[in-house]
Amino acid sequence: MKKILLLVVLMCSINYSCLPDDSDSGADPDGPVISNIRFEVTTTRNTAAIITTTINNDTQTDEVENLPFSLTYAQVEIESGTYFQLTFLENGVYNVTPEGSSWTDYTAVLNIYIDEVLVRTDIFNVNEDNASTIREIDLTVN
């Protein structure tokens, strides 16, 4: 019985050693990789915004009525030189009266994820004076 068990283990070892490893697959190691890309905007105050996402030359603009915002692009081909950009522009409506403004300062966080790994982030303070400034983060894959 021990000889049969030893023979089975030996055969399995030989068979396993003959399987190609990942480096023998013939795939170009510098070629494109397929990944999921997620763009995300969170704020410390609910507001409306105009958010633009870009992958290479493909751009999508969304007028968002309520934040947070998240958009995932599934199965994106990524190779060296692939460009990502996320922009945020405050677009809320606020009342200004002789007593003051309904504006409240807040913080915006912009994130870009590749396969659920955070690869680019930035935090911006948004106040009444700089609300019309476009905030952006970008990334070019090396």
Side-chain angles (χ1 to χ4, degrees):
M1 184 70 171
K2 289 182 182 179
K3 290 181 181 180
I4 293 174
L5 183 59
L6 183 60
L7 182 60
V8 169
V9 170
L10 181 62
M11 293 302 289
C12 288
S13 297
I14 291 171
N15 190 26
Y16 181 77
S17 68
C18 293
L19 292 175
D21 62 15
D22 291 341
S23 64
D24 294 335
S25 66
D28 181 4
D30 296 328
V33 174
I34 305 299
S35 298
N36 295 326
I37 308 302
R38 181 165 46 108
F39 295 98
E40 181 180 83
V41 176
T42 58
T43 57
T44 56
R45 179 180 61 101
N46 190 15
T47 187
I50 299 172
I51 298 174
T52 303
T53 57
T54 302
I55 299 176
N56 287 328
N57 294 320
D58 296 325
T59 299
Q60 177 177 327
T61 300
D62 294 292
E63 290 190 32
V64 179
E65 304 245 349
N66 296 297
L67 294 171
F69 169 86
S70 181
L71 178 61
T72 300
Y73 293 88
Q75 304 297 300
V76 175
E77 189 174 284
I78 302 173
E79 58 189 343
S80 182
T82 300
Y83 177 73
F84 302 102
Q85 183 180 56
L86 173 62
T87 65
F88 168 84
L89 176 61
E90 162 68 41
N91 197 33
V93 177
Y94 302 95
N95 298 321
V96 178
T97 65
E99 292 80 34
S101 170
S102 63
W103 176 269
T104 304
D105 294 351
Y106 65 95
T107 301
V109 180
L110 281 60
N111 296 316
I112 300 174
Y113 295 85
I114 299 178
D115 288 331
E116 296 304 318
V117 175
L118 181 62
V119 293
R120 184 61 47 99
T121 189
D122 208 344
I123 300 172
F124 303 95
N125 292 317
V126 182
N127 59 49
E128 200 168 8
D129 294 333
N130 69 14
S132 62
T133 302
I134 296 175
R135 279 97 176 150
E136 68 180 49
I137 58 173
D138 60 357
L139 168 72
T140 301
V141 176
N142 293 328

